[in-house]
């Protein structure tokens, strides 16, 4: 008999632990629905702010060794458009998580409130975009701001609040503790790693914005280390994000302490078929290891490694 790979996280029941990451194919309600119909356990929208934003000029994305480098500039139609996207995505019957960003505590609280009104099942605070000034990582790199932004979003909604952290920081554990102090229901780790690629013919950065964020297989060991470190220090549900391309990558994240994983760049390599491939592989692993549920795997590598360095 097939192993049950369903999970419960932040009070939501997911049929499997594979969640679409923010920004990848979450461009419209229809694309979110398509991903859900392809088998995702939940979907995260692209990041919405209170006002529409055009984003950066092209080029905004470039393929590099080990992944993709992007600097889109948080393009979005403004949070008023979220309701329509959520309504469409929800037709596929999986939880829809709204990603929101802002420039202040008040912006995040208001965006979370509007996401709740739009019918989202949870909100993910993007405090981690690595290159848009005044939003994202400028907030996510300041421990006290992470705490206060999280606390005010929590105060403004009944929805579960997830905080997506940046790896572009000395200690992600310190930031994660502040998110937990602010009342976060879960943490997503990580957003992209700040990076650059240079065109040697024109002798300037390829991306119009110059610096961007690296995603894909190259950042998997970084993301995994972040989950491992946070799990060792803080008792809060974790969602792994960064370079998950195969079912065994996902298993590594569970063993490090994640209860679910987000899939982003891998969709570019494998298309939407990746969601059924991941499920089949994970079921096979649970069967082979005689493990009843994913819960039994979560953090096992931390418990099995009693060395502290
Ligand atoms: C972007 O829109 O440039 C990327 C958003 C992010 O990394 O959070």
């Amino acid at each position: 008999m097939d192993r049950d790979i369903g999970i419960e996280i932040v009070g939501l029941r997911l049929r499997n632990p594979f969640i679409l990451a923010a920004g990848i194919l979450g461009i419209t309600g229809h694309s979110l629905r398509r991903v859900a119909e392809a088998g995702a356990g939940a979907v995260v929208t692209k990041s919405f702010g209170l006002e529409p934003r055009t984003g950066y000029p092209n080029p905004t994305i470039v393929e590099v060794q080990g992944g993709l480098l992007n600097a889109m500039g948080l393009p979005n139609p403004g949070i008023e458009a979220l309701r329509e996207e959520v309504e469409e995505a929800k037709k596929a019957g999986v939880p829809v998580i709204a990603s929101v960003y802002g420039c202040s505590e008040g912006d995040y609280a208001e965006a979370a409130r509007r996401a709740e009104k739009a019918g989202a099942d949870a909100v993910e605070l993007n405090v981690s975009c690595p290159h848009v000034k005044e939003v994202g990582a400028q907030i996510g790199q300041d421990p006290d701001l992470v705490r206060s932004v999280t606390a005010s979003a929590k105060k403004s909604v009944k929805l579960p609040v997830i905080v997506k952290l940046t790896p572009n920081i000395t200690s992600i554990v310190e930031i994660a503790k502040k998110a937990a102090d602010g009342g976060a229901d879960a943490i997503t780790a990580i957003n992209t790693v700040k990076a650059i690629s240079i065109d040697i013919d024109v002798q300037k950065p390829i991306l119009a914005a110059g610096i961007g964020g690296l995603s894909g297989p190259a950042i998997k060991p970084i993301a995994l280390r972040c989950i491992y470190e946070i799990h060792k220090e803080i008792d809060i549900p974790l969602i792994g994000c960064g370079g998950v391309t195969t079912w065994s990558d996902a298993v590594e994240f569970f063993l490090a302490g994640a209860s679910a994983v987000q899939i982003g760049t891998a969709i570019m390599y494998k298309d939407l078929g990746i969601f059924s491939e991941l499920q089949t592989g994970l079921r096979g692993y649970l069967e082979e290891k005689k493990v009843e549920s994913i819960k039994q795997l979560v953090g096992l590598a931390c418990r099995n490694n009693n060395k502290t360095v």
Side-chain angles (χ1 to χ4, degrees):
M1 206 184 73
D2 270 355
R3 286 284 198 272
D4 178 14
I5 56 169
I7 60 157
E8 206 170 302
I9 189 160
V10 300
L12 302 174
R13 175 82 195 152
L14 272 56
R15 61 188 173 180
N16 67 62
F18 303 115
I19 302 171
L20 174 73
I24 305 275
L25 285 186
I27 307 304
T28 64
H30 286 281
S31 54
L32 287 168
R33 184 174 165 188
R34 211 154 55 84
V35 176
E37 286 170 353
V43 292
V44 186
T45 67
K46 66 175 164 285
S47 292
F48 280 81
L50 294 178
E51 302 300 332
R53 225 185 116 88
T54 317
Y56 299 140
N58 284 325
T60 53
I61 191 157
V62 59
E63 188 165 4
V64 295
Q65 207 175 12
L68 294 178
L69 187 56
N70 90 82
M72 320 286 286
L74 293 166
N76 75 96
I79 203 139
E80 273 311 297
L82 182 63
R83 176 185 298 276
E84 216 178 296
E85 297 204 9
V86 171
E87 272 171 13
E88 181 61 29
K90 284 186 93 164
K91 290 181 185 158
V94 306
V96 177
I97 301 167
S99 171
V100 299
Y101 71 87
C103 298
S104 64
E105 263 179 53
D107 281 2
Y108 278 92
E110 179 61 13
R113 200 181 61 73
R114 307 260 284 269
E116 183 167 65
K117 255 182 88 189
D121 297 291
V123 61
E124 184 178 83
L125 307 181
N126 180 355
V127 293
S128 44
C129 172
H131 45 73
V132 175
K133 283 199 180 69
E134 284 161 16
V135 304
Q138 271 186 343
I139 289 178
Q141 287 166 342
D142 180 327
D144 292 326
L145 264 180
V146 168
R147 200 202 61 76
S148 60
V149 157
T150 308
S152 57
K154 270 300 280 182
K155 233 186 271 164
S156 72
V157 291
K158 292 197 181 69
L159 287 183
V161 172
I162 303 165
V163 184
K164 185 170 185 178
L165 298 186
T166 177
N168 305 309
I169 180 88
T170 309
S171 167
I172 197 164
V173 174
E174 186 193 352
I175 304 286
K177 278 185 178 157
K178 293 291 184 174
D181 285 353
D185 295 284
I187 283 170
T188 300
I190 54 178
N191 204 324
T192 54
V193 176
K194 213 169 174 181
I196 194 166
S197 182
I198 291 179
D199 183 323
I200 60 166
D201 287 324
V202 290
Q203 302 173 332
K204 62 175 199 166
I206 294 177
L207 296 177
I211 288 174
L214 181 64
S215 61
I219 72 164
K220 192 195 86 182
I222 301 170
L224 205 53
R225 181 267 300 167
C226 289
I227 290 288
Y228 186 85
E229 285 186 336
I230 299 169
H231 180 76
K232 276 178 109 169
E233 297 291 328
I234 310 171
D235 186 15
I236 187 169
L238 301 177
I239 301 170
C241 180
V244 178
T245 310
T246 64
W247 64 264
S248 59
D249 293 336
V251 170
E252 281 191 76
F253 274 92
F254 301 139
L255 293 170
S259 298
V261 290
Q262 293 186 354
I263 313 299
T265 304
I267 297 172
M268 301 297 174
Y269 298 123
K270 296 191 163 179
D271 219 331
L272 290 179
I274 188 171
F275 286 99
S276 53
E277 186 187 310
L278 291 167
Q279 290 170 57
T280 308
L282 178 58
R283 283 202 178 89
Y285 178 79
L286 296 183
E287 185 71 45
E288 187 199 315
K289 295 285 180 194
K290 312 236 171 309
V291 171
E292 288 305 320
S293 74
I294 294 163
K295 224 171 163 177
Q296 288 172 251
L297 298 178
V298 175
L300 198 54
C302 300
R303 296 192 289 284
N304 285 342
N305 179 11
N306 46 25
K307 284 195 200 101
T308 44
V309 277

